[in-house]
Amino acid sequence: MATEPKAKNIGGDSRIKAGLIWMNGQMVPQEEAKVSVLTHALHYGTSVFEGIRAYDTPKGPAIFRLPEHVERLFHSAKVLMMEIPFTPQEISQAIQQVVRENGYKSCYIRPLAWMGAHTLGVNPLPNNPAEVMVAAWEWGTYLGDEAVKKGARLITSSWARFPANVMPGKAKIGGNYVNSALARIEAQQQGADEALLLDKEGFVAEGSGENIFFFKGNTLYAIEHSVNLMGITRDSVIAIARDLGYEVRECRATRDQLYMADEVFMVGTAAEITPVSYLDHRAIGKGVAGEHTMRLRRAYLEAVQGQNLKYEAWLSYVN
């Protein structure tokens, strides 16, 4: 029987170095990108954001699925009744400008729009139009290289994913992520790499910031959308898996179904494709990164790094 390794503490106190930040239409050094302590979003979580990656490709840095990410940013703002004072095209250009002017070959990109400091009542709308920034920094493997090589260790969180009539889970709203933060803290304090959250009915929802997949034989199962964020990486992985010849089914699943799966993995912009080796101290399959998972990961990285022209439409070249 495989022996479960102990997780490393992947936290740290190194500060983000973002260089030049696009803020409300101007490029400014990170030290000058400041907001008021009376900002509504700081008090009430009224912000929307995206996580995007740019990759080094043979044609220079390229942003993965930029139009889809910008579209989701504006959809999230609509849910919050937030007015973004820039067009989607202007935000897309700002994202490309940040990557280009910082000289990044590959990086993680964070567009953020937030309700400002006009008023501090609970109602955020007097703070429209929102303020906007785009920052980027070099960021490697989200859960660490060891998690990719050996598989991440997960625990099921005592914090459930909020139901759809409590919080708008299809929108990337800052306040939603307190739920994720509590789950992630709990997981790491218990020696795991990441948390698995269930919905109010006890079915698998998602990780603290990732969608969940599992293999049973040669069939790939994608956890269906209920309260889950509609993941752009999830959509990409389903397309790639089908191109590789896998049958893909969407399903609801309980956590014990994941215990019995041959392979489990997580996907997201930050996590990319990260295999899961243990869930709740139970080995998934042989307790190592699965063969099908790693095949998908290789194909995904070829797509995002411009090495497979079949997926070139997903890339927005910076230069």
Side-chain angles (χ1 to χ4, degrees):
M1 177 181 290
T3 302
E4 179 184 11
K6 291 186 178 181
K8 289 184 177 181
N9 180 2
I10 62 171
D13 29 2
S14 58
R15 298 193 178 184
I16 295 172
K17 296 179 181 178
L20 294 171
I21 293 176
W22 185 94
M23 188 163 180
N24 295 321
Q26 302 293 326
M27 294 292 288
V28 298
Q30 179 176 345
E31 296 75 18
E32 297 178 17
K34 299 178 180 179
V35 297
S36 168
V37 294
L38 298 178
T39 296
H40 194 277
L42 182 62
H43 294 256
Y44 299 111
T46 49
S47 63
V48 300
F49 69 96
E50 278 297 314
I52 312 173
R53 276 193 188 265
Y55 290 89
D56 189 13
T57 78
K59 296 182 181 179
I63 300 168
F64 185 62
R65 302 199 69 172
L66 176 60
E68 291 88 347
H69 280 288
V70 172
E71 179 181 51
R72 193 170 63 181
L73 179 72
F74 277 80
H75 284 171
S76 297
K78 182 178 183 179
V79 171
L80 198 54
M81 301 186 76
M82 173 188 287
E83 299 171 15
I84 295 181
F86 300 93
T87 66
Q89 182 180 10
E90 288 171 329
I91 296 298
S92 296
Q93 290 171 346
I95 290 168
Q96 292 175 310
Q97 183 181 3
V98 167
V99 177
R100 184 168 54 250
E101 294 199 17
N102 280 293
Y104 293 130
K105 292 184 177 179
S106 60
C107 61
Y108 180 85
I109 308 160
R110 173 54 55 85
L112 175 75
W114 67 94
M115 295 297 197
H118 296 297
T119 67
L120 257 186
V122 172
N123 176 15
L125 299 186
N127 294 288
N128 272 321
E131 297 186 53
V132 188
M133 76 93 194
V134 179
W137 57 93
E138 295 176 334
W139 196 9
T141 308
Y142 181 54
L143 294 178
D145 292 335
E146 186 175 349
V148 171
K149 292 177 183 177
K150 299 181 179 180
R153 295 153 295 275
L154 273 61
I155 59 105
T156 302
S157 179
S158 64
W159 296 97
R161 178 61 84 219
F162 46 77
N165 63 343
V166 172
M167 295 289 279
K170 295 294 185 288
K172 284 183 73 72
I173 293 175
N176 288 356
Y177 282 79
V178 172
N179 186 215
S180 295
L182 290 169
R184 185 73 184 276
I185 290 169
E186 180 182 45
Q188 293 199 293
Q189 288 184 337
Q190 292 187 29
D193 296 305
E194 181 58 289
L196 177 73
L197 288 90
L198 308 180
D199 64 21
K200 68 175 183 178
E201 298 176 54
F203 290 97
V204 173
E206 54 191 339
S208 71
E210 307 92 2
N211 290 123
I212 305 295
F213 288 81
F214 66 96
F215 272 103
K216 197 69 177 170
N218 289 323
T219 301
L220 177 61
Y221 292 87
I223 299 300
E224 71 177 24
H225 289 307
S226 57
V227 295
N228 309 349
L229 185 70
M230 297 175 70
I232 293 169
T233 307
R234 177 186 184 274
D235 176 73
S236 306
V237 168
I238 289 173
I240 291 171
R242 285 178 172 150
D243 288 342
L244 290 175
Y246 291 110
E247 179 183 1
V248 181
R249 299 180 185 176
E250 296 192 57
C251 70
R252 300 181 81 186
T254 55
R255 62 176 172 171
D256 51 333
Q257 283 180 273
L258 299 190
Y259 300 158
M260 294 181 270
D262 296 322
E263 301 180 26
V264 176
F265 62 93
M266 305 176 291
V267 307
T269 294
E272 299 172 314
I273 295 179
T274 299
V276 174
S277 56
Y278 283 81
L279 173 59
D280 297 335
H281 311 290
R282 296 163 173 84
I284 303 299
K286 298 179 181 179
V288 296
E291 178 182 344
H292 295 306
T293 300
M294 297 309 286
R295 181 187 180 202
L296 269 176
R297 178 176 169 83
R298 288 191 295 271
Y300 176 81
L301 291 177
E302 288 175 359
V304 300
Q305 293 171 0
Q307 297 170 8
N308 187 336
L309 297 182
K310 180 180 180 67
Y311 306 105
E312 192 172 28
W314 285 346
L315 303 178
S316 296
Y317 293 101
V318 171
N319 298 317

